[in-house]
Amino acid sequence: MVASVSSRRRGSETTMFGQSAWGWLPSLYLLLGGFAGGIALVSAAVRLACGGMRAEVDGSCALGSFPAVVSRLSLVLLLIGLTCLLLDVDNPDRALVLWDSFSNRNSWMAIGAWVLAVGCVVFAINLIFAVPKLRDALGEMLPQGGRGMMVVGNVVILISGIIGLVIATYTGVLLFAAESIPMWRTLTLPMLFLLSSCSMGVEVSMAILSFGTAFEGLRIASAHTLMTEIAVAGVLLGLGESGAMIMYVIGRSGAGTFCAQEIAKMLTGTLAPWFWGGAVVLGILVPFVCEMVLMTALRRDAHRAMSLRNALGRAQSGTMIVRSLFEGVLPMIAAVSSVVGSFALRCVVIAVGVHEPVAIARLVTASLGIS
Amino acid sequence: MHCAEPQCVHVCPASALSKRAEDGIVVVDRDLCVGCHYCLYACPYDVPTYDDGGLVKCDMCLSLGLGEDGRPSPHCVATCPLQALYFGTTEEIERVIAEKERRMRGHGRLGVIEETGE
């Protein structure tokens, strides 16, 4: 006779999809962390590609308000994510004392807490360098003035991008490190979360560039090249995320009966609407289609690389106005869809994060060498 | 049973969970616990639970003091009417079970169990 351990945890609430201790709030702060990281990484790449701090300091930067907007966004998203995390723990006052409460260097949660804390500081410094008034005030304090500003500023942009990459990856690693959860015990999970985060970064960056004052005074060819490159990045990330998702599903399907059951729940069971409607359609397909349409629009009309305001200004017919509006809102549609789909992905992954039921009696007799 | 390599100890960010060197019992310091619930995910046997005061797990009744032999004295072991529970090292328990098995064979009871296939 064998006794089975119920997978329900005594004393803990039943949360989303009948899961265990973590509910929808961890899905939210995993999303916010990944989102902040993705924005920081992509915006760092765009800013460095457009001349870095030199262009932003001497006024030749073609990105307009983009650096200030994305710097604020990455910091705010990270702070909100951290606030949600603190609201989720039972003792937030203890959690705030980092050096006491996150002291176990072997724990990925402790490592992540310090990474997030450093991330807040780096993103805040990045914001100072991205906002002209704050940057000018800081420039007066630096020993070499403008030249010092350029060097330090480029280093800050680079570090914020690296920190963004680390944070985006960490959200998946935190789950991977829980060795007892079969559905999380695969390297495709951190890879999937990283690609999802980068995808959000690209889509939102594209939306900000399209709706903002970017490219004022920039040669059309340069704006066209940049926007095309961002659109291509969006397409490639979509393909990459699809590949990672397929690898995750196939890999876990073959990882034993229990994992196969959880995959079936994801593909055809209670989680199917979230997976297919959210993670696949909204998270990957819609942004992919939007980027493909934008790439076609860019190939047809180089001026499309300018902001929506300029595109509408150049429209000479009702058809062109409608087309400009449609193509102009596509980046926003892609951005919103990507974020919602990424949230759905994280919800699904959290929901399948359950333990395989363990036959304790068999375990005990096996460990004691009793047949 | 307490794990030889407890995952909960490994993943706890605050080091609130630890394994005692003298007897291998995994204990929790509720004053250090931040309530992140990561140990719930780490443990494959659903051992940790949470109440209003924080993390709760079996500590072999250490918090109630030691027995007369200077070792922990879990109440479940002391009170089980069928003596189905044991406390001790793996070797000690193996000896007890081997002795039980020998007695059962001597009384012919083990053979009955084998015939019915239970």
Side-chain angles (χ1 to χ4, degrees):
Chain A
M1 189 170 306
V2 168
S4 298
V5 174
S6 166
S7 60
R8 282 176 53 207
R9 284 155 174 79
R10 289 179 290 116
S12 69
E13 56 190 72
T14 301
T15 56
M16 57 181 289
F17 307 120
Q19 217 260 16
S20 59
W22 290 356
W24 65 270
L25 200 53
S27 306
L28 181 62
Y29 56 72
L30 287 177
L31 172 79
L32 290 170
F35 195 178
I39 287 271
L41 175 61
V42 171
S43 65
V46 171
R47 289 171 70 190
L48 290 173
C50 287
M53 194 49 57
R54 175 188 293 276
E56 292 179 28
V57 167
D58 66 16
S60 65
C61 177
L63 296 173
S65 57
F66 177 79
V69 171
V70 290
S71 301
R72 281 192 183 97
L73 192 57
S74 56
L75 179 61
V76 166
L77 287 170
L78 190 61
L79 288 173
I80 295 175
L82 277 174
T83 304
C84 292
L85 192 152
L86 284 173
L87 288 174
D88 199 35
V89 300
D90 293 343
N91 300 303
D93 49 341
R94 266 184 230 157
L96 279 171
V97 188
L98 271 180
W99 48 92
D100 257 352
S101 299
F102 293 95
S103 53
N104 181 3
R105 279 175 288 183
N106 295 320
S107 166
W108 275 103
M109 182 158 289
I111 294 169
W114 283 100
V115 167
L116 295 174
V118 169
C120 284
V121 173
V122 171
F123 287 178
I125 296 172
N126 187 41
L127 175 62
I128 293 173
F129 277 88
V131 175
K133 279 185 191 167
L134 298 175
R135 185 176 59 228
D136 293 341
L138 185 63
E140 289 167 12
M141 295 191 303
L142 286 178
Q144 294 196 0
R147 202 161 61 170
M149 180 67 65
M150 287 178 212
V151 171
V152 174
N154 281 336
V155 170
V156 169
I157 294 174
L158 182 63
I159 292 175
S160 71
I162 293 171
I163 292 281
L165 172 67
V166 171
I167 291 174
T169 311
Y170 164 70
T171 56
V173 168
L174 179 66
L175 302 186
F176 169 75
E179 293 189 14
S180 307
I181 307 288
M183 287 294 288
W184 293 352
R185 200 63 192 153
T186 168
L187 281 171
T188 52
L189 186 62
M191 199 163 58
L192 180 58
F193 274 29
L194 172 61
L195 289 168
S196 165
S197 300
C198 291
S199 187
M200 282 192 284
V202 165
E203 304 304 339
V204 170
S205 293
M206 184 74 125
I208 293 170
L209 284 167
S210 289
F211 279 85
T213 58
F215 310 130
E216 300 292 336
L218 183 67
R219 284 181 300 141
I220 291 173
S222 302
H224 182 266
T225 302
L226 179 63
M227 290 293 271
T228 304
E229 284 171 356
I230 295 176
V232 167
V235 168
L236 291 176
L237 281 168
L239 291 172
E241 199 179 338
S242 306
M245 197 172 281
I246 291 169
M247 278 172 58
Y248 176 76
V249 169
I250 293 176
R252 291 298 88 194
S253 296
T257 311
F258 178 75
C259 283
Q261 288 169 353
E262 292 299 309
I263 290 290
K265 193 162 73 172
M266 190 190 291
L267 298 182
T268 56
T270 51
L271 297 175
W274 285 78
F275 177 72
W276 291 111
V280 174
V281 172
L282 290 179
I284 298 177
L285 200 58
V286 168
F288 182 81
V289 168
C290 289
E291 294 295 347
M292 291 297 286
V293 171
L294 278 167
M295 277 173 59
T296 308
L298 284 165
R299 240 179 294 167
R300 183 189 64 244
D301 178 10
H303 287 86
R304 181 60 200 92
M306 305 302 283
S307 66
L308 173 63
R309 190 178 60 190
N310 283 339
L312 284 174
R314 293 185 64 253
Q316 291 170 347
S317 68
T319 306
M320 287 181 72
I321 290 174
V322 170
R323 180 189 279 166
S324 294
L325 272 172
F326 173 69
E327 290 165 359
V329 299
L330 277 180
M332 184 60 76
I333 292 172
V336 172
S337 183
S338 178
V339 172
V340 173
S342 295
F343 178 61
L345 170 67
R346 282 147 179 85
C347 286
V348 168
V349 169
I350 291 285
V352 296
V354 293
H355 290 146
E356 185 171 359
V358 174
I360 285 289
R362 235 187 236 141
L363 180 73
V364 170
T365 51
S367 69
L368 292 175
I370 300 169
S371 58
Chain B
M1 288 174 70
H2 285 208
C3 296
E5 291 182 14
Q7 278 299 303
C8 58
V9 171
H10 181 73
V11 304
C12 177
S15 302
L17 289 151
S18 57
K19 186 172 177 69
R20 286 159 52 104
E22 57 267 47
D23 47 32
I25 297 172
V26 179
V27 295
V28 58
D29 185 344
R30 280 159 52 120
D31 290 334
L32 295 179
C33 176
V34 298
C36 66
H37 295 207
Y38 203 28
C39 51
L40 290 182
Y41 276 94
C43 179
Y45 310 120
D46 294 350
V47 168
T49 59
Y50 280 80
D51 64 12
D52 291 338
L55 175 63
V56 176
K57 73 170 293 293
C58 166
D59 65 352
M60 304 283 186
C61 293
L62 262 182
S63 47
L64 301 175
L66 300 175
E68 289 173 357
D69 55 358
R71 300 204 316 172
S73 176
H75 278 204
C76 55
V77 174
T79 56
C80 176
L82 300 177
Q83 295 183 319
L85 297 167
Y86 301 97
F87 172 78
T89 63
T90 306
E91 293 77 21
E92 289 169 352
I93 295 175
E94 279 175 345
R95 275 198 298 275
V96 168
I97 291 177
E99 172 60 28
K100 240 188 178 174
E101 192 180 348
R102 202 171 51 246
R103 273 190 279 117
M104 286 172 80
R105 284 191 189 282
H107 294 154
R109 288 170 61 193
L110 201 54
V112 172
I113 291 172
E114 282 173 345
E115 281 175 16
T116 58
E118 287 180 7

